[in-house]
Amino acid sequence: MAPSRLDESWLVEDMGKSFVGGPEATTRLALSGHKTDYSRWRLRDDRGKQTWHYLESDEACREWPQSTADRYFLGLDTDLPDLPTPKKPIDHARNGLAYFSRLQLPPGNWGCEYGGPLFLLPGLVVTWYVTHTPIPEAHKIEIRNYLLARQAVDGGWGLHIEGKSSVFGTALNYVALRLVGVDADNEQMIKARSKLHQLGGALYSPQWGKFWLAVLGVYEWEGMDPLPPEIWLLPDWVPFAPWRWWIHSRQVFLPMSYVYSRRWSLPPNKLTLQLRDELFTQPYSSITFSSHRNSIADADNYHPKSTILFILNWILVTIWQPFLCTSWIARRAESWTWTLIEAEDLNSDYADLAPVNGTLNFLACYIHDGPNSYSVRQHATKVQEFLWVKNEGLLMNGTNGVQTWDTAFTIQASVNANLHTDPDFQPMLLHALEFLGDQQIRTNCAGADARYRQQRKGAWAFSTAEQGYAVSDCTSEAMKAVLQLQTTPGFPRLVSRDRLCDAIDVLLTMQNPSGGFASYEPQRAGEWMENLNAAEVFGRIMVEYDYPECTTAVVTALYAFRAFDAEYRKADIDHALDGALKYIRAAQRADGSWYGSWGICFSYAGMFALESLACAGETWENSERVRRACQFFLNRANEDGGWGESYRACETGVWTDHPDGSQVVNTCWIIIGLLEAGFPEKEPVRKAMRLVAGRQKIDGSWDQEGIEGVFNKSCMISYPNYKFIFPIKALGMYAQRFGNLWG
């Protein structure tokens, strides 16, 4: 049993000075060199709410032993035994599931690092610093370790861990390291500063970077493009009103606009004055910040601002703000944005949509409610759920976890491999089913319509029900997993028919006029809204889109539900399926491919699209478009039989081979697609599966290879559990299709 309360000593950098929260705060951490003692870290998982804790005393370590999963995540020896040498394809799948089952967490879910983006952690460190929030010394040490481990050879940092160095990544991560105690004269910091200056210095950061620097007091607000909260006062019928924006964009802009309206900055102190000297290529006092609103380095300018946005910003800065926006309008706008910020916090119990808006809401609460307020204390606690510790150090996840998503896929992989009837795995799968049953969202948001929130009762979120955001593919994959187990003899029916019908009701609200399905809510405005994309570093960020992945998830879920209950909303489901399949067909490119928005890239989307078409009876045998899709993949196979796709394909929209050759996860996605399509030739599939099997280790695991996920075209994100889930599924499907022999 984990102790209910940990005794932690704290250290905080406050106004440039160090204050130690206990007389033994540094000696009791049992540090080894520049790292903490990894045997003292523990992951607590409370109904999916995951937080890492550093145990300072030997007694606490004895009371709360380190688990196999803890050791795995930290890169320590798991002491798991070698498994019998696999001789058949299904043996490899079984060994993979045997290993992965040992990583299941107590509530029944799986967890993992969900890192990759390098702009998340600096925003939190800045917020901790300016709100004088104590940071555990162990956290500080491992933040330093992670950021320095992820520094590029040229001294900088990119948008994500595999990206090229940029001003955004380099400036923010340099600042974060300084705030957690790394000296400016450190060799790696000197190299980072040199790279930053080579790129032009912090003046050439994109808007999100300038925002955080302004909050810290090392950049001036007049050097930013306007973020007017008054836009939230626009009537709902206005075509570009913010309620029409993609949920992540509007929930980030919301607290940003509140902070911007207040022009809130930390007063200068010794450290921030030093940073003013370090971040720029000229003296701070000589900079005319207002002339640098549009300054941005080429390395950061993935989505250049449109002419329309340039004109709008000029109007806002030169006409609206100085002459038309009265103090009454500004106060009313701040009041309404604050109401929406409160609603986001309350509807998610301060978990919030994701770490960017969670951190920004934390800051907004500090400004509005004060440093000792309930809201600030809640945010300081909840933000811990975004943090993850691994062998490189401490990072910030892209959400508060992948709990529902990876658990649903693990169940499906077990079923597809026909291992769900194996008595050895049934207890693990029952526990996973219990988790999904517990995590279904059972209520709609309070004041949903007034707060622009999508219907959610019956849905599943990406992570936890508490986070509370319905997602089309998460709902679909979770419902499929539930149906697969609940229709298998020996598994209980934990999710009732009524609750499954609630899930169907939500899914049917998420279809776009095109027939495709979006992610969080149906599209509320057209793609022309990208003309207002001010983020610069991301693409396709302003509105929802149709996604082959989300559409396929819904299609397969609707077919699965129809097999379970053929009558509930039959006409609506038929209509939705008809539109969705038309979208899948229309979205296919002339070369046979589909572009992926949530995984890398054509291999990921193609797997999903071919599964959709197979559900509708379209296979290699009877469909030219399916044959074209299969040929697209076959033409890109490597000599070793596998496939490797680079993240650059997401950025450019063109298939790009991975520089390291074949990747296990890409290979499995493509093989699953070929098997779903009924591709008739055994040899190409066998050769690819032999590659996957050959990379499996004797304990049943696979090594981590290239990054797997993406969002907004330009930012990559890690899904490390995919290296278990999709090989298990692909190997099992191969065995069932071509027989359980390699010959």
Side-chain angles (χ1 to χ4, degrees), residues 21-95:
E24 302 173 317
T26 53
T27 58
R28 289 172 56 206
L29 283 168
L31 305 181
S32 175
H34 297 294
K35 295 179 74 71
T36 59
D37 180 353
Y38 276 20
S39 71
R40 294 178 177 272
W41 284 102
R42 304 290 188 273
L43 177 67
R44 175 183 287 144
D45 189 335
D46 177 13
R47 292 184 64 195
K49 292 177 285 188
Q50 299 170 162
T51 52
W52 282 94
H53 303 267
Y54 191 80
L55 308 186
E56 297 172 359
S57 70
D58 293 341
E59 181 181 0
C61 290
R62 287 191 295 271
E63 292 177 2
W64 187 357
Q66 203 167 44
S67 69
T68 297
D70 292 339
R71 293 193 294 274
Y72 172 80
F73 296 138
L74 293 163
L76 303 176
D77 188 352
T78 61
D79 296 325
L80 292 178
D82 292 344
L83 297 173
T85 302
K87 298 180 179 179
K88 300 177 181 180
I90 198 64
D91 296 338
H92 287 276
R94 179 187 299 277
N95 282 1

Side-chain angles (χ1 to χ4, degrees), residues 431-503:
H431 204 22
L433 175 61
E434 291 170 341
F435 178 80
L436 291 185
D438 181 56
Q439 292 302 315
Q440 188 181 23
I441 301 169
R442 306 296 293 277
T443 61
N444 286 315
C445 289
D449 291 341
R451 308 302 186 249
Y452 314 114
R453 287 294 298 272
Q454 176 71 13
Q455 177 180 330
R456 71 177 191 178
K457 181 185 176 184
W460 277 269
F462 184 73
S463 56
T464 63
E466 183 179 73
Q467 187 259 7
Y469 274 88
V471 189
S472 63
D473 54 356
C474 301
T475 300
S476 299
E477 303 297 357
M479 186 174 71
K480 275 194 300 183
V482 167
L483 284 169
Q484 285 174 332
L485 290 185
Q486 291 191 171
T487 56
T488 298
F491 286 94
R493 294 201 170 187
L494 301 180
V495 181
S496 68
R497 176 187 177 277
D498 287 347
R499 289 171 60 185
L500 293 170
C501 291
D502 287 341

Side-chain angles (χ1 to χ4, degrees), residues 1 98 108 135 142 160 310 345 368 414 438 498 528 542 558 598 624 640 644 689-690:
M1 289 289 292
I135 310 173
E142 295 305 337
H160 57 86
F310 275 114
D345 285 346
H368 185 277
S414 303
D438 181 56
D498 287 347
W528 63 267
M542 289 304 297
L558 293 179
W598 303 106
E624 183 274 337
D640 59 13
M689 286 293 87
R690 289 289 282 180

Side-chain angles (χ1 to χ4, degrees), residues 86 92-93 95-96 99 638-645 658-668 686-706 723-724 727 731 742:
H92 287 276
N95 282 1
Y99 187 98
N638 296 321
E639 288 187 11
D640 59 13
W643 287 265
E645 189 176 8
H658 199 286
D660 295 333
S662 295
Q663 303 286 294
V664 164
V665 173
N666 288 142
T667 299
C668 289
R686 185 196 69 83
K687 189 176 181 181
M689 286 293 87
R690 289 289 282 180
L691 179 143
V692 172
R695 293 192 185 178
Q696 188 178 34
K697 297 160 72 173
I698 193 63
D699 61 6
S701 66
W702 283 269
D703 284 332
Q704 183 64 34
E705 297 179 339
K723 67 179 175 286
F724 295 101
L731 287 160
W742 287 119

Side-chain angles (χ1 to χ4, degrees), residues 281-355:
T281 59
Q282 65 188 90
Y284 191 85
S285 60
S286 72
I287 299 171
T288 305
F289 284 91
S290 60
S291 66
H292 288 282
R293 286 194 297 106
N294 297 311
S295 297
I296 183 170
D298 289 342
D300 294 81
N301 204 15
Y302 178 75
H303 190 282
K305 284 181 282 194
S306 68
T307 301
I308 292 173
L309 189 57
F310 275 114
I311 294 170
L312 287 174
N313 285 337
W314 181 87
I315 292 170
L316 289 168
V317 170
T318 61
I319 300 174
W320 172 254
Q321 290 179 344
F323 301 114
L324 301 180
C325 184
T326 66
S327 59
W328 179 85
I329 293 174
R331 286 196 303 271
R332 185 165 173 244
E334 288 178 10
S335 176
W336 179 234
T337 55
W338 173 251
T339 297
L340 295 174
I341 290 168
E342 276 191 310
E344 162 72 350
D345 285 346
L346 295 175
N347 276 315
S348 64
D349 195 21
Y350 295 87
D352 292 332
L353 173 63

Side-chain angles (χ1 to χ4, degrees), residues 170-192:
T170 304
L172 287 188
N173 284 288
Y174 180 92
V175 165
L177 284 165
R178 292 287 279 123
L179 296 183
V180 294
V182 181
D183 193 85
D185 293 331
N186 175 282
E187 183 179 347
Q188 287 180 264
M189 298 295 278
I190 293 171
K191 194 172 183 181

